[in-house]
């Protein structure tokens, strides 16, 4: 029996990654996308799998077209006769230039291409009759018909210049330039004829431009109307409050359903009887940090927030349960994400499934299937079975696995214990952290401490499996890994999340330092081997620590896609929201902005830092990381730059990810021995790595 191995980056990249499930009408089968990384080829391919909810082994349904096949977003038709999915393939003599809609019978066979939309299909939903599909595609709004769209698309593809020109406020998002001159429309395709109609053609209507998805619209039970989310302002902006409108398919008439300048509305879903519309509402005018609340609109135009007294943020999608008496959705609580049911009459909320981390679910004919993960396993698919009487508080929930894709790999791995701990942080508040111990941990030995500081800041780390900052991979290197849910984190209520607004960095630093002091009171933490790492806002925090803490407190830092200069962050795609977070615009109160910026205290930087950035990162432009690295070099502080020309805000390619982890291990390892003080400020003659070839 070979000794169990610990989790290393290459093994992490052998694990399969499951996508959101879709149930067939009778609930007997689910379909999901399964992504299998192929590290040797530095790629991943995705195929669709069928899983019985009644028992039996999963069955592969598609063979993922091209080697880089990305069969995804599978959804069962309401008639049960087809599964629709999005793929980019070369078949029947046609090579898809962009992802298209495909159909495949659940009994297998060859998938059939349903669309040939020039810019590709973003997302879709079936009509209740199972004979049509509504989908999202980017189109040139002034053109009529698919032929004209294809011609304009071809012209744009074949243009000789490479310029990107715009006068828009919102013109890029994460790593995408929003397509010049195109906007997201809702289109309908007839399954039998393949005929495509653009519902917004010839109008000024469009869906939201920032990653429009199937949660941005819903189709009425009678198939005659579609409600959709839109930005009612002529000039679109990430910060605008979105509204709900409804199009009547026969007449193409669009009527405003709900629009409130103080509320940002999203994720509308019709009840099965069509008498109510549930949606998410965030009181943005009060504070941008207000939670997503569950609301319902009736046929008289009256709407109400149902979760006003529930200090949690509901996540899209919302699902009506089958009797329209309740709404199901995921929501975080204290670093976990559970599945909840809200009773629409009493407004009472009830936890249906306690995570770990529930990331997706589907409900059909009384069967409830979940996609869930935890600190100890990646996403799994399970049926949630209710034991005891329906609805009884005493009824217990039991998960029944319906796949075991990663079980063999995981059972041969020795993982470290992961536990939540609470301590007194800033302002005397209780603050949570998640501590992951090395496999084989012994309290009688001494270990280095590594902070992994989450980004956002309004997110949380916890009992979940993280592919990029995997605590088990880091702990396997011998670190005690701490993930502090600092002030400003989500899942701890509105007051906690909003507590940092206008003063970013302050309370968070106190929390992280209080966590370090708490852990230093344990005999097994080596005070001479303290490290901190983080991505994006977490990267900002390690730069902030470098600018505020005395040399030698920490031996080294890792700053991934970190913010160094909030004024220069006006180059971010998220620039229009900065003043709400920082409390001022940089030209109105430059001192306040500089006081929240590590660059404002550059003279104090002293701790060796590995700086990581991707060139295609439009959220935190790579100039932030380069400025930080260059400043460290100018100060004579030990620094190393890991820069990816082909990565965005995250490191997504297998080979780059394996290198990313190794660079972190090496960097921290280089700063583990020797004096506990930071390296003296002197230029380092380093022979590390190859001398870079002179750029051609
Ligand atoms: C004000 S938009 C920030 C959106 C998001 N924060 C969610 O919690 C985000 O992108 N955060 C970045 C850091 C960042 C913060 C503010 C402006 C740009 C980037 C992250 O941590 O990923």
């Amino acid at each position: 029996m070979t000794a169990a191995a610990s989790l290393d980056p290459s093994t992490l990249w052998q694990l399969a990654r499951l996508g959101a499930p879709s149930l067939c009408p009778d609930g007997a089968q689910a379909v999901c996308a399964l992504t299998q990384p192929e590290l040797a080829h530095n790629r991943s391919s995705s195929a669709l799998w069928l899983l019985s909810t009644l028992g039996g082994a999963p069955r592969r349904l598609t063979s993922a077209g091209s080697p880089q096949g990305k069969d995804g977003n599978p959804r069962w038709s309401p008639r049960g006769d087809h599964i629709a999915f999005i793929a980019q393939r070369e078949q029947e003599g046609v090579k898809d230039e962009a992802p298209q809609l495909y159909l495949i019978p659940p009994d297998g066979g060859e998938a059939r291409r349903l669309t040939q939309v020039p810019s590709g299909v973003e997302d879709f939903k079936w009509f209740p009759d199972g004979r049509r599909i509504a989908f999202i595609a980017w189109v040139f709004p002034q053109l009529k018909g698919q032929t004209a769209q294809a011609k304009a698309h071809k012209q744009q593809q074949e243009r000789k210049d490479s310029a990107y020109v715009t006068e828009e406020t919102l013109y890029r998002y994460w790593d995408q330039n929003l397509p010049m001159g195109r906007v997201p429309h809702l289109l309908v395709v007839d399954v039998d004829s393949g005929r495509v109609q653009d519902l917004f053609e010839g109008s000024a209507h469009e869906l939201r431009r920032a990653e429009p998805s199937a949660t941005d619209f819903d189709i009425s039970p009678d198939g005659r109307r579609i409600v959709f989310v839109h930005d009612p302002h002529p000039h679109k902006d990430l910060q605008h409050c979105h509204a709900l409108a409804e199009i009547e398919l026969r007449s193409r008439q669009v009527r405003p359903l709900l629009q409130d300048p103080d509320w940002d509305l999203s994720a509308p879903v019709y009840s099965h009887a069509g008498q109510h519309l549930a949606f998410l509402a965030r009181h943005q005018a009060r504070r941008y940090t207000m939670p997503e609340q569950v609301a319902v609109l009736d046929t008289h135009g009256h709407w109400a927030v149902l979760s006003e007294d529930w200090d949690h943020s509901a996540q899209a999608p919302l699902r009506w349960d089958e009797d329209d008496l309740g709404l199901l959705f995921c929501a975080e609580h204290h670093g976990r994400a559970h599945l909840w049911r809200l009773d629409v009459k009493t407004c009472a909320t009830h936890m249906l499934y306690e995570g770990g981390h529930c990331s997706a679910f589907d409900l059909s004919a009384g069967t409830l299937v979940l996609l869930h993960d935890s600190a100890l396993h990646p996403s799994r698919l399970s049926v949630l079975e209710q034991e005891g009487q329906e609805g009884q508080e005493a009824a217990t929930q039991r998960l029944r696995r319906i796949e075991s894709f990663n079980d063999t790999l995981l059972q041969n791995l020795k993982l470290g214990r992961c536990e939540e701990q609470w301590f007194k942080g800033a302002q005397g508040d209780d603050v949570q952290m998640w501590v992951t111990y090395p496999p084989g941990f012994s309290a009688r030995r001494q270990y280095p401490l590594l902070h992994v500081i989450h980004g956002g800041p309004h997110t949380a780390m916890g009992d979940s499996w993280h592919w990029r900052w995997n605590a088990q991979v880091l702990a396997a290197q011998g670190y005690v890994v701490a993930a502090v849910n600092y002030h400003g984190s989500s899942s701890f209520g509105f007051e906690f999340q909003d507590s940092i607004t206008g003063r970013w960095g302050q309370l968070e630093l106190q929390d992280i330092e209080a966590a370090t002091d708490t852990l230093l009171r344990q005999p097994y933490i080596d005070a001479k081997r303290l490290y901190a790492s983080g991505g994006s806002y977490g990267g900002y925090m390690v730069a902030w620590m470098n600018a505020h803490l005395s040399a030698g407190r920490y031996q080294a830092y890792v700053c991934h896609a970190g913010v160094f200069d909030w004024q220069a962050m006006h180059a971010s795609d998220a620039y229009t929201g900065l003043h709400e977070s920082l409390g001022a615009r940089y030209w109105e109160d430059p001192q306040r902005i500089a006081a929240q910026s590590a660059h404002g205290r550059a003279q104090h930087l002293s701790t060796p830092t590995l700086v990581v950035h991707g060139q295609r990162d439009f959220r935190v432009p790579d100039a932030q990381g380069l400025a930080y690295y260059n400043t460290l070099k100018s100060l004579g502080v030990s620094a190393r730059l890991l820069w990816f020309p082909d990565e965005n805000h995250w490191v997504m390619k297998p080979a780059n990810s394996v290198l990313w982890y190794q660079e972190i291990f090496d960097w921290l390892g280089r700063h583990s021995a020797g004096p506990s003080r930071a390296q003296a400020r002197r230029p380092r003659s380093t022979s590390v790595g190859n001398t870079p070839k002179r750029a051609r």
Side-chain angles (χ1 to χ4, degrees):
M1 178 70 180
T2 53
S6 58
L7 183 59
D8 62 23
S10 55
T11 306
L12 183 71
W13 278 97
Q14 291 173 37
L15 290 165
R17 305 183 184 198
L18 288 173
S22 172
L23 283 166
C24 67
D26 68 7
Q29 292 193 90
V31 61
C32 77
L34 184 139
T35 299
Q36 187 58 62
E38 298 160 38
L39 188 55
H41 301 286
N42 194 27
R43 67 184 186 209
S44 297
S45 66
S46 304
L48 304 189
W49 283 74
L50 283 177
L51 305 106
S52 166
T53 61
L54 307 174
R59 174 167 65 88
R60 183 169 182 154
L61 183 61
T62 66
S63 55
S66 64
Q68 291 76 15
K70 299 280 183 212
D71 296 352
N73 302 61
R75 292 191 179 96
W76 223 295
S77 82
R79 289 154 41 104
D81 57 348
H82 283 98
I83 290 165
F85 63 99
I86 294 176
Q88 188 165 346
R89 296 182 159 199
E90 183 168 2
Q91 70 178 48
E92 300 151 13
V94 174
K95 181 176 182 345
D96 295 332
E97 295 303 321
Q100 301 298 334
L101 267 179
Y102 281 80
L103 292 181
I104 188 166
D107 301 335
E110 193 51 60
R112 165 167 78 94
R113 181 187 290 112
L114 188 57
T115 61
Q116 286 190 266
V117 177
S119 57
V121 173
E122 295 288 328
D123 207 348
F124 70 94
K125 271 183 179 172
W126 281 94
F127 271 72
D129 64 6
R131 298 186 186 284
R132 291 168 292 167
I133 290 175
F135 67 90
I136 300 169
W138 289 82
V139 301
F140 296 97
Q142 72 283 10
L143 300 180
K144 291 189 185 309
Q146 290 306 301
T147 304
Q149 293 293 338
K151 184 180 174 189
H153 177 78
K154 189 170 184 294
Q155 285 170 345
Q156 191 175 73
Q157 295 294 94
E158 293 173 352
R159 65 195 178 115
K160 296 292 181 284
D161 68 78
S162 59
Y164 180 83
V165 61
T166 183
E167 295 179 19
E168 298 282 351
T169 299
L170 171 55
Y171 60 94
R172 50 175 37 184
Y173 195 68
W174 289 113
D175 62 352
Q176 295 298 310
N177 290 311
L178 297 188
M180 283 202 299
R182 281 181 294 197
V183 296
H185 273 192
L186 253 185
L187 298 89
V188 174
V189 59
D190 181 279
V191 167
D192 290 336
S193 68
R195 182 167 172 258
V196 173
Q197 293 179 308
D198 178 346
L199 299 182
F200 295 160
E201 186 170 277
S203 80
H205 299 298
E206 59 178 269
L207 298 177
R208 77 166 77 231
R209 294 183 184 180
E211 288 184 342
S213 76
T215 61
D216 290 327
F217 71 92
D218 197 34
I219 305 165
S220 63
D222 62 10
R224 294 178 180 174
R225 292 162 291 127
I226 293 181
V227 60
F228 61 93
V229 176
H230 69 107
D231 179 345
H233 307 78
H235 302 295
K236 311 307 178 187
D237 185 326
L238 273 181
Q239 308 312 318
H240 284 161
C241 284
H242 292 81
L244 304 179
E246 187 178 64
I247 184 167
E248 206 274 331
L249 289 170
R250 188 182 46 74
S251 64
R252 300 288 176 82
Q253 287 299 312
V254 175
R255 70 185 180 103
L257 266 190
L258 193 52
Q259 181 173 331
D260 187 313
D262 293 344
W263 289 81
D264 183 42
L265 310 178
S266 63
V269 280
Y270 292 100
S271 61
H272 294 92
Q275 297 304 306
H276 294 89
L277 188 75
F279 57 96
L280 293 178
R282 183 166 56 84
H283 197 180
Q284 172 145 322
R286 178 178 164 195
R287 282 296 243 201
Y288 84 96
T289 47
M290 281 294 285
E292 295 288 357
Q293 295 176 289
V294 180
V296 170
L297 172 72
D298 65 21
T299 49
H300 307 293
H302 303 137
W303 72 284
V305 170
L306 305 186
S307 60
E308 196 154 24
D309 301 329
W310 192 59
D311 196 6
H312 293 74
S313 198
Q315 295 171 7
L318 302 173
R319 287 294 297 273
W320 287 90
D321 63 16
E322 285 156 321
D323 58 13
D324 283 349
L325 295 179
L327 285 160
L328 276 61
F329 50 87
C330 296
E332 292 179 314
H333 179 69
H334 290 182
R336 293 183 169 96
H338 312 306
L339 177 65
W340 305 81
R341 180 182 182 275
L342 183 146
D343 185 299
V344 294
K345 286 196 181 333
T346 66
C347 299
T349 52
H350 167 65
M351 193 187 291
L352 285 181
Y353 164 68
E354 182 177 10
H357 178 255
C358 181
S359 58
F361 66 97
D362 196 12
L363 174 65
S364 187
T367 298
L368 182 56
V369 63
L370 307 180
L371 183 68
H372 60 102
D373 60 278
S374 80
L376 298 177
H377 66 77
S379 289
R380 288 172 174 170
L381 279 171
S382 299
V383 167
L384 182 66
E385 294 180 325
Q386 179 123 11
E387 292 177 338
Q389 291 307 312
E390 174 75 21
Q392 266 186 339
E393 275 307 312
T396 57
Q397 314 291 341
R398 190 168 64 85
L399 279 184
R400 176 166 53 80
R401 300 275 307 277
I402 59 173
E403 53 74 31
S404 57
F405 290 114
N406 287 314
D407 289 22
T408 303
L409 203 54
L410 285 172
Q411 68 198 15
N412 290 326
L413 289 176
K414 186 162 178 49
L415 300 179
R417 172 166 54 93
C418 177
E419 65 185 23
E420 68 175 297
Q421 294 182 20
W422 292 79
F423 60 93
K424 288 295 181 191
Q427 303 177 151
D429 293 337
D430 291 327
V431 176
Q432 180 200 57
M433 64 175 157
W434 290 81
V435 183
T436 304
Y437 297 88
F441 170 81
S442 162
R444 290 192 296 276
R445 291 173 51 193
Q446 281 227 307
Y447 297 85
L449 169 63
L450 173 61
H451 278 283
V452 173
I453 304 172
H454 71 69
H458 311 307
T459 66
M461 265 186 165
D463 191 4
S464 59
W465 188 265
H466 209 294
W467 292 108
R468 288 173 284 106
W469 294 90
N470 189 283
Q472 293 290 344
V473 168
L474 298 167
Q477 294 293 314
Y479 295 94
V480 170
V481 179
V484 176
N485 283 323
Y486 49 79
H487 277 77
S489 300
S490 59
S491 84
F492 298 87
F494 166 69
E495 293 299 335
F496 189 82
Q497 178 160 318
D498 189 59
S499 61
I500 63 171
T501 300
R503 51 175 178 171
W504 276 9
Q506 290 178 32
L507 303 184
E508 307 93 298
L509 177 61
Q510 293 175 46
D511 291 339
I512 291 164
E513 285 304 278
T516 297
D517 290 339
T518 301
L519 290 165
L520 281 173
R521 288 195 281 274
Q522 301 299 331
Y524 52 77
I525 296 295
D526 182 349
K528 294 195 293 300
R529 291 188 293 163
L530 304 181
Y531 306 94
S533 65
S536 195
Y537 197 88
Y540 159 71
M541 281 311 301
V542 293
W544 187 256
M545 291 164 74
N546 205 350
H548 285 82
L549 300 177
S550 54
R553 166 70 167 177
Y554 291 87
Q555 274 57 55
Y557 295 130
V558 177
C559 174
H560 175 101
V563 175
F564 179 58
D565 174 349
W566 283 115
Q567 177 168 325
M569 273 294 284
H570 234 71
S572 165
D573 66 337
Y575 69 99
T576 54
L578 284 179
H579 65 287
E580 291 186 302
S581 304
L582 299 169
R585 298 176 191 279
Y586 77 82
W587 56 87
E588 291 164 350
D589 190 346
Q591 288 79 14
R592 184 168 188 177
I593 302 307
Q596 300 172 74
S597 237
H599 91 290
R601 292 174 54 87
Q603 68 276 24
H604 299 292
L605 299 171
S606 64
T607 300
T609 300
L610 169 65
V611 177
V612 188
H613 228 112
Q615 188 175 38
R616 294 202 52 77
D617 184 348
F618 296 169
R619 181 54 47 97
V620 180
D622 68 335
Q624 291 284 323
L626 299 177
Y628 185 31
Y629 174 76
N630 295 351
T631 302
L632 292 166
K633 298 304 286 183
S634 305
L635 291 165
V637 177
S638 172
R640 183 175 176 93
L641 175 65
L642 174 60
W643 181 81
F644 294 99
D646 55 350
E647 294 284 3
N648 54 26
H649 198 50
W650 306 281
V651 176
M652 307 295 277
K653 295 179 178 176
N656 285 343
S657 173
V658 171
L659 173 70
W660 181 87
Y661 276 108
Q662 194 54 55
E663 279 285 340
I664 290 174
F665 303 156
D666 294 348
W667 180 255
L668 299 179
R670 273 170 59 182
H671 297 88
S672 61
S676 61
R677 287 183 311 101
Q679 303 295 329
R681 283 185 178 177
R682 62 182 185 282
R684 288 171 55 88
S685 59
T686 167
S687 59
V688 176
N690 301 320
T691 306
K693 295 180 179 57
R694 182 172 299 286
R696 277 182 286 285

